[in-house]
Amino acid sequence: MNKSIILVACLLIIAGLKIFGQANTFPNGQTKTPNSEIIQTFSDDGAWCWFSDPRAIYYGENLIITGWVKKDGSVEVASLDLNSGEKKFNTIYPQLEIDDHDNPAFTVFPDGNVFTMFAWHSTKKGVISNQTSNGSDVQSFGENVIYLPKTEELLEKFPRETYTYANPYVLKEENNKLFVFGRWIGFKPNMIISADNGQTWNEQYVIISSEPFNPNNRPYVKYYSDGKSKIHMVFTDGHPEVEPQNSVYYCYYENGSFWRADGTKICSLEQLPFSPRDASLVYKPSENSGRAWIADIVVINNVPYILYSRHPEKTDHRYHYAHFNVEENNWENYEICKAGKWFPQTQPEKEERESYYMGNMTLHPESPNLVYLSREVNGIFEIEKHETADGGSTWAITSITNNSDYDNVRPYVPRYLPENAKTVVLWMENKKYIHYTDYDTSIKYFIDNE
C-alpha cells in the first residue's frame, strides 16, 4: 500500500478519536467510546454537597425534581420534564448563604406534594423546610419554616448545638411518618420524626456518638430508603482530615430500632445513641490502605451496596465498591479505579483545605452494578460509567465526558427511579471551585439510553 495512503488513514483515525473522545487504557476491564447523546445544561448556576440527599428525585417516570445553591447563596429548586425538555425554577430562599452544604433534599408525601428541607452550614439558626401545594409544580413551594431540632435534655447530654444537612424520608409502613436526618445536636447524626407531614416534630434523637462524648467528633452519614419500612445508613468515625483510622460502617433503621447487616439488633430508639463500633464494619483502614470517606448507598433485595473511597495519600484517592454477602455473612470489597487527587482549585502558595474532596460517585438506584463516577483524566475530572458483571471484580468503562475544559464532579442519579424511566445522571461542572464558599458552577445532565 502507498505510504501516503497509510499516513492519511492514520491521520483520519486520530481525528476520529478527537471527535468521538479518546479511549483511555484501564488495567481492569474494557473501555467503550463515549455515548453519542448530548450533554445538556440544567442550570448555569448551581452547586451541591453530597451529604444532603436525595438532592434529586423522580416524580413519576418523566419528571426530575432537584435543587442547589447558587453562587450568590440563594437556594433554588427546579424541575425537568424528560419528554418535553421543559425546565421550571423557583428561588425559595434568596441569598441564604454562599455555601454548597446548604442544598435542598426532597421527598414526596402521600398526597403528592413535595417536601424539601435544607440548612445553613454549622450555625445555630436551625433547619428550613418547605413544601408544594400543587404536587410536582416547583413553583408552588410556599413559606419557609425554620425549626430547631433540639431538646434541653439532648443539649445537656450532648452539649454542642450546630445545624448542618438534611435528609428527609417518608416510611409508608410507619403510617407515612416523616423522618429527617442531619448533623445537629452534639455535632452528631440526629433524627427527628413527624407524624403530620412536618407540621410538628414529635421525637428528636442523637443517633451515633462514641463514649465518652467528644464535641469535636463528627461522623459522616449517607442514607437510603425505598420509602417502605427501612432507612439504611453508611457512615464513618468522622472526617478523614481528622480521623487517621476513619472506618466505614453500616446499619439500618426499621420499626423503632437499629439493626446490623446480619439482622441482629443494635438498640431501640429509647436506647440511642449507639457507638460506630456497634454497627456492621464494612472497612477498617490500615496504614497502607488509607483512611476512608463515603459516597453512596443503595439497597436491592435487602442487599446493601456501598461506594466509598480510600486515601493512602491525600493525592491518591481510590474508589471502592462493597456489598454484603448474606450467605457468607461478610462484606465483599473491590477497588473500582484510582481517581486522582482532590478537585478544589488550590491557590498558589496555599495549602489545600479540602484535600479529601474526591470527584465522587453514585450508584444506579435500581441497578447497583452500574456506577457513575468522576475521576481525574489528564488533569481534568471527567464523568464515566463503570459497569460490573461479576460483583465488582472487573469493570467495563464508558466515558460520558471527554477532553473537558472544566472539572465535572459529584454525579448523582435521582432516587425513586420508576421501572420504565430513563436513567438521568446529573453533576456539577466547575468553572471555579476554590472552596465550598467560593465557587462558580453549573449543573449538567445526561440521559443514559444504553
Side-chain angles (χ1 to χ4, degrees), residues 125-298:
K125 297 178 181 179
V127 296
I128 306 159
S129 65
N130 203 325
Q131 58 184 284
T132 62
S133 59
N134 187 24
S136 63
D137 183 3
V138 297
Q139 294 174 347
S140 73
F141 275 100
E143 295 293 323
N144 291 310
V145 178
I146 298 173
Y147 176 67
L148 296 173
K150 65 178 180 179
T151 66
E152 292 304 318
E153 181 181 359
L154 284 178
L155 275 174
E156 183 177 352
K157 189 174 181 180
F158 308 99
R160 182 166 181 178
E161 180 182 5
T162 176
Y163 305 107
T164 308
Y165 307 131
N167 298 262
Y169 300 94
V170 173
L171 289 185
K172 182 178 179 180
E173 294 181 17
E174 288 206 30
N175 298 316
N176 293 309
K177 286 182 179 179
L178 173 62
F179 296 73
V180 183
F181 301 80
R183 188 180 73 211
W184 303 329
I185 301 304
F187 213 32
K188 301 292 185 288
N190 285 207
M191 177 178 71
I192 55 176
I193 303 174
S194 173
D196 55 11
N197 291 353
Q199 301 302 309
T200 60
W201 300 94
N202 311 94
E203 302 172 70
Q204 299 89 15
Y205 302 94
V206 172
I207 304 173
I208 306 168
S209 181
S210 298
E211 292 287 347
F213 170 69
N214 179 351
N216 297 313
N217 168 255
R218 45 180 168 156
Y220 279 79
V221 190
K222 294 289 295 182
Y223 304 88
Y224 171 83
S225 177
D226 63 3
K228 296 177 181 178
S229 66
K230 297 178 181 177
I231 299 169
H232 305 265
M233 304 166 53
V234 57
F235 59 96
T236 62
D237 291 294
H239 195 294
E241 196 73 61
V242 178
E243 307 289 343
Q245 295 293 312
N246 211 36
S247 298
V248 178
Y249 307 89
Y250 164 83
C251 71
Y252 65 91
Y253 165 85
E254 185 177 34
N255 193 27
S257 295
F258 289 83
W259 310 82
R260 301 179 186 90
D262 63 4
T264 57
K265 186 175 179 178
I266 299 173
C267 69
S268 66
L269 289 174
E270 294 74 23
Q271 296 168 321
L272 287 171
F274 59 84
S275 170
R277 63 178 178 271
D278 294 328
S280 298
L281 179 65
V282 178
Y283 164 67
K284 183 176 179 59
S286 68
E287 185 175 343
N288 292 328
S289 63
R291 64 195 74 184
W293 218 0
I294 50 176
D296 202 6
I297 175 173
V298 301

Side-chain angles (χ1 to χ4, degrees), residues 211-409:
E211 292 287 347
F213 170 69
N214 179 351
N216 297 313
N217 168 255
R218 45 180 168 156
Y220 279 79
V221 190
K222 294 289 295 182
Y223 304 88
Y224 171 83
S225 177
D226 63 3
K228 296 177 181 178
S229 66
K230 297 178 181 177
I231 299 169
H232 305 265
M233 304 166 53
V234 57
F235 59 96
T236 62
D237 291 294
H239 195 294
E241 196 73 61
V242 178
E243 307 289 343
Q245 295 293 312
N246 211 36
S247 298
V248 178
Y249 307 89
Y250 164 83
C251 71
Y252 65 91
Y253 165 85
E254 185 177 34
N255 193 27
S257 295
F258 289 83
W259 310 82
R260 301 179 186 90
D262 63 4
T264 57
K265 186 175 179 178
I266 299 173
C267 69
S268 66
L269 289 174
E270 294 74 23
Q271 296 168 321
L272 287 171
F274 59 84
S275 170
R277 63 178 178 271
D278 294 328
S280 298
L281 179 65
V282 178
Y283 164 67
K284 183 176 179 59
S286 68
E287 185 175 343
N288 292 328
S289 63
R291 64 195 74 184
W293 218 0
I294 50 176
D296 202 6
I297 175 173
V298 301
V299 180
I300 303 295
N301 296 325
N302 292 318
V303 176
Y305 296 83
I306 291 168
L307 296 178
Y308 70 98
S309 55
R310 298 182 187 180
H311 304 262
E313 302 289 342
K314 288 187 176 183
T315 54
D316 183 8
H317 300 182
R318 303 188 183 194
Y319 291 159
H320 280 75
Y321 176 85
H323 53 88
F324 188 68
N325 187 321
V326 177
E327 293 182 359
E328 300 292 332
N329 193 30
N330 62 16
W331 291 92
E332 298 184 10
N333 285 266
Y334 300 95
E335 182 173 304
I336 303 173
C337 65
K338 294 182 179 180
K341 64 178 188 316
W342 60 81
F343 71 78
Q345 298 153 351
T346 311
Q347 297 304 285
E349 300 182 4
K350 299 286 187 180
E351 183 177 351
E352 178 52 50
R353 290 174 285 178
E354 298 296 343
S355 57
Y356 293 96
Y357 271 18
M358 55 189 164
N360 226 289
M361 48 189 163
T362 184
L363 285 155
H364 189 291
E366 296 300 324
S367 300
N369 60 310
L370 298 178
V371 175
Y372 298 88
L373 59 82
S374 163
R375 72 179 195 93
E376 194 176 19
V377 179
N378 298 325
I380 294 290
F381 282 83
E382 305 283 10
I383 302 296
E384 299 173 343
K385 178 170 74 173
H386 289 231
E387 183 173 2
T388 182
D390 53 17
S393 294
T394 58
W395 297 86
I397 301 101
T398 302
S399 298
I400 295 177
T401 66
N402 267 283
N403 301 317
S404 300
D405 293 326
Y406 304 111
D407 289 332
N408 303 278
V409 301

